[in-house]
Amino acid sequence: MTSQFKILLLAGISLVAATPALAQLAPAADEGDEQAIVVTGSRPIAESEAAALTIQRNTDSLVAVVAADGVGRLPDQNIAQATSRLPGVSVERDQGQARYINLRGAPKRWTTLSFDGINVVSPEGRDARFDSTPSAIASQIVVSKAVTPEMPGETVAGNVNIITRSGFDYPGLHVAGKAGYGIAELGDRKQYEASAVVSDRFKVGEGEIGVVLSGSYFERAMITDNFETDYERVAQDQRPGSATRFWAAEAENKLYRLTRKNWSVSGRIDYKPDADNTISLRSVYTIFTDDEARDNYRFDLDDRQSDLVASAAACPTTLNPNPTTSGYADVCIGNTPQKGTVYGIDIRQRSTLRAFRQSIFTNTLAGDHDFADGWKLNWLANYTESKDDRSVVGEVAWDSPGTRTARPSVSYDFSDPNHSNLVLFSTNQLSGPTRFQAGGQVTNVDSFTKPPSSLLVLDAVDTTKAYTGKLVLARETGLFGGEAVLKAGFQFDRRTKIADENQILLNTAAQLATVGLPTDYNQFSLNTPFEGKIPLGYNFHYFDTAKMRQVSKAARASFAFAPNAANNYNVREEVYAGFIMGTVKYDWGSILGGVRIEHLKNRGVALATVGAAAAPVTATSSQTLAFPSLHFNYNVDDTKKLRLSFNSGAARADYDDLRPNVVVSDTNQTISGGNPSVKPERAFGVDGYFEWYIKPQGYLMVGAFYKKVKDVLYRQTRTFGSNALDSNGIDRSAYTFTGITNGGDGRIFGAEAAAQLQLEPWTGNLGLPEWTGGFGLSANLTVNDSKVTKPGIGAVPARKVRLPGTSDVVYNIGAYYEKYGLSIRVQYQRRSTWLDEIVDDLTDGGDTYWAADDEMDVSARYAITPNVEIYFDAQNVLNKPGRRYSEPGNLLTATGTPTARSSIQTIEWERFGRRYSGGVRVNF
């Protein structure tokens, strides 16, 4: 075995080249250990994978690791995309980019985010967003799938820990950088990226200081192809077969022009006065911005639903182009949910300019101290501030006038799940006030009159401030015939989230004239047609963002902001946690066990609005939970390992779900708000895995997992059923309530398999030429099965559903070749259909799902010198659309019997195009 395939992990020697940080977590190896591998940088993919496997092999719980160079060798600009290459990891995307992480098929809220072991609240809340964190800040990413007592109890499915670089990762001065440029083929939009890392070490008396600074910038512009269709059951449609019919209430296109940017700046200072003590100061600041211009054309097909008279009698279903109704949901004129014509409908157009901004600023002061007799002390203090700015620069609503001959007639065809076919016509009136027919075809949608009806300016910022203190005392000792490390720790977390939302809403002609908003959309638009490729069936022009900023500025100058009381709140969460655990190592393996106890205190302050009255409300709650866990690791031999773990966790409701806001509308007879008393979801799991670390280089794994779930969180719409909000003689018990609640119990189980193999060690034995040694393969597969009880509501009985976010099958296949300075990699990912939302009643089109997702990326690098390389990346090569759909056939009738299965209905379809980029990387 050649030296370039050995990782040298001798005490005091760091890993150099591309993955130096791995040495911090990898244990020292014997100098004669045949598993040792030297990272030389000559084969960065193989070497970084080998280094990551070394860490994985030597941990006492179930983890998967992505090395920094593994990130660098793929077009993975954010943490979600980089992590998605690992076994059991799938992602949910936004605008085609990986955003949320589902670990082994579990809901995204069960995955927590950490920086250097400190849990960080995402700007959005419990649903950790990973696209706001660039992968450039990480020296490695460690995904823990089996919870240990040291980890917070809210970690249910697992934790994604981003380990930042340290100056002690390198032997001295280290400089690395990257710069690139790219294009998106859809709309010919540009992409820019740059990153840099500088670190060094300095002697200070008897001690040493390590310093590292890093920064990154990634900008990409894009446009989208999109159509959406919202389905409903129509009360007036009572003709034969109506039980299986769901009609499109509206058909729309959301046509985006986006510019997204990621910045990151991080710094770290480590001071080692001697070999037994280290004090570290770490800061990470990440910013994600999303400047979004959205042209939204919504064709309100059910605008005159009331024209249809309810009748259960059979009728001819032949085509009638001169109806006495608008044609909506009218089978008697030949219309069906898939094809038909609706006459004189409203165009509800929205021109929206948003300026989203999310940031995380986390700062940690930590110390590690070794004392005599095997005692160790670790402490840290952390302050993190997360901001979620959801502001809208301006949104103008344009609506068709009441005169139906000024509105379009629309011929629709939804029979193709990948195409919403709309054809526009003028509308002619026939004899009688309710008789209309389609006139000539109209291709320019903006030729229809659409005067403005409102202007919205929104300032909305959610701020979360988190304080963490942690103290861990450890002792190395002998126990039960083995070498043990006993730990006891305490952790305090306080998190306060404040939502502050204020708006200006102008909706009179005089107000709109004051800010200079034109009455004709054509005076508010650019001479720029649609730049996408999807056939819309009509032409339009994008709105002018400069004019939007102009009217928004005028609105701010002339009108005052008003608070949105229903969305403003202050929620504080305190967690007092203590844990005890022990790890005992034997020649045959190890045992890790312990328990974590957490006492939670929640306090929420918000405004409750009941009818016309509003008053502040304060709600408090508390709970104590215990989280035991136990992990067995058995070394079958020096290459094979068996792992068995028992663990538990609790997923708490998001902060906006815990707020005590209540909004009661007597006009709409609705009640909405948070639920401060909702209980956490509890999960109890078991994992069993077999790992084979093949000599001299390779990895095979197979495993199974099971989790029992209790008190599943649901957002539910139901009858309120209580007189608690009755006042002034008004009975509100029958109002419709919408909010978070606990549901039934369930389970999720599945299996995983993974393989990583390189041909190099076996070319000689196989008689293959030397150049074939550059080939390598990685693959992983996860299969899931989840089922939880959805409680019954009213006439709809309880039913079994999947856990949201769970795909039955997830797999990754990667192939690469690297030799002679050339590195080429192709990575393919697929996840099968997964549940998105669960409906409560029979008025909508059924539970919604995301269709199977296929992604392929290609990466190529060539080393010009040992320190300089050029690269090329191609993303989203397959250019498959994202499609969300509903299955009405999954619903039940009011009597509790299944409806006849009807066709799958596409409710959202979007495509974003391929992206290509290239540039240069340096490493000194």
Side-chain angles (χ1 to χ4, degrees), residues 67-90:
D69 204 66
V71 176
R73 285 306 190 276
L74 285 169
D76 300 330
Q77 283 84 9
N78 71 55
I79 295 297
Q81 187 69 21
T83 308
S84 70
R85 317 293 182 182
L86 295 175
V89 179
S90 56

Side-chain angles (χ1 to χ4, degrees), residues 3 85 235 295 526 539 672 679 692 774 919:
S3 62
R85 317 293 182 182
D295 290 89
L526 299 166
N539 302 320
S672 62
K679 295 184 294 184
W692 182 10

Side-chain angles (χ1 to χ4, degrees), residues 388-468:
D388 183 15
D389 189 337
R390 302 173 284 104
S391 298
V392 177
V393 176
E395 180 178 83
V396 178
W398 316 81
D399 290 276
S400 299
T403 304
R404 291 180 67 182
T405 53
R407 298 176 167 197
S409 293
V410 177
S411 174
Y412 62 87
D413 182 351
F414 304 133
S415 59
D416 184 347
N418 294 303
H419 183 210
S420 175
N421 187 9
L422 303 177
V423 181
L424 310 184
F425 302 89
S426 61
T427 303
N428 298 331
Q429 184 160 14
L430 302 176
S431 59
T434 62
R435 293 179 60 84
F436 296 87
Q437 72 172 189
Q441 183 176 348
V442 178
T443 56
N444 180 13
V445 69
D446 296 326
S447 65
F448 290 102
T449 301
K450 305 184 301 294
S453 58
S454 67
L455 168 65
L456 171 70
V457 179
L458 178 68
D459 282 354
V461 180
D462 298 345
T463 303
T464 303
K465 296 183 179 181
Y467 302 86
T468 297

Side-chain angles (χ1 to χ4, degrees), residues 156-361:
V156 178
N159 171 261
V160 178
N161 187 24
I162 302 167
I163 299 177
T164 60
R165 295 176 176 88
S166 166
F168 290 119
D169 292 341
Y170 308 93
L173 177 64
H174 171 76
V175 179
K178 177 181 180 180
Y181 169 82
I183 59 171
E185 67 173 7
L186 192 59
D188 193 26
R189 298 297 165 119
K190 309 304 184 217
Q191 174 176 307
Y192 309 92
E193 58 180 318
S195 63
V197 179
V198 179
S199 72
D200 205 352
R201 300 164 65 156
F202 307 93
K203 291 288 185 181
V204 181
E206 297 296 321
E208 191 175 13
I209 291 178
V211 180
V212 61
L213 294 173
S214 67
S216 68
Y217 177 79
F218 178 46
E219 175 185 332
R220 63 276 190 202
M222 58 192 298
I223 66 170
T224 59
D225 286 340
N226 167 279
F227 72 82
E228 298 186 21
T229 311
D230 294 332
Y231 288 90
E232 65 180 1
R233 191 185 293 277
V234 177
Q236 291 87 345
D237 176 21
Q238 299 180 9
R239 305 286 184 180
S242 62
T244 62
R245 285 197 292 265
F246 289 82
W247 297 85
E250 66 180 25
E252 62 181 310
N253 293 102
K254 292 180 180 177
L255 308 168
Y256 295 88
R257 291 166 289 161
L258 302 173
T259 300
R260 290 183 167 180
K261 301 176 183 178
N262 286 85
W263 290 272
S264 74
V265 178
S266 62
R268 178 167 170 167
I269 300 175
D270 293 281
Y271 172 50
K272 290 188 175 182
D274 52 51
D276 296 325
N277 296 278
T278 302
I279 297 176
S280 175
L281 177 62
R282 298 169 289 214
S283 289
V284 178
Y285 187 34
T286 70
I287 303 174
F288 170 82
T289 64
D290 186 357
D291 295 325
E292 174 189 301
R294 183 177 70 190
D295 290 89
N296 188 188
Y297 286 85
R298 298 190 291 182
F299 300 93
D300 195 3
L301 302 180
D302 69 346
D303 178 44
R304 297 188 63 86
Q305 177 179 330
S306 59
D307 287 355
L308 185 65
V309 177
S311 174
C315 65
T317 56
T318 55
L319 178 63
N320 178 8
N322 305 312
T324 57
T325 68
S326 70
Y328 180 68
D330 191 350
V331 297
C332 299
I333 67 167
N335 282 353
T336 71
Q338 297 297 311
K339 295 182 180 181
T341 303
V342 183
Y343 302 88
I345 62 97
D346 179 23
I347 301 175
R348 293 189 295 149
Q349 178 185 344
R350 299 293 182 269
S351 305
T352 308
L353 182 61
R354 295 180 173 179
F356 289 169
R357 185 180 189 273
Q358 293 194 337
S359 63
I360 299 175
F361 184 36

Side-chain angles (χ1 to χ4, degrees), residues 231-233 246 841-845 891:
Y231 288 90
E232 65 180 1
R233 191 185 293 277
F246 289 82
D841 53 38
L842 304 177
T843 59
D844 294 320
L891 290 180

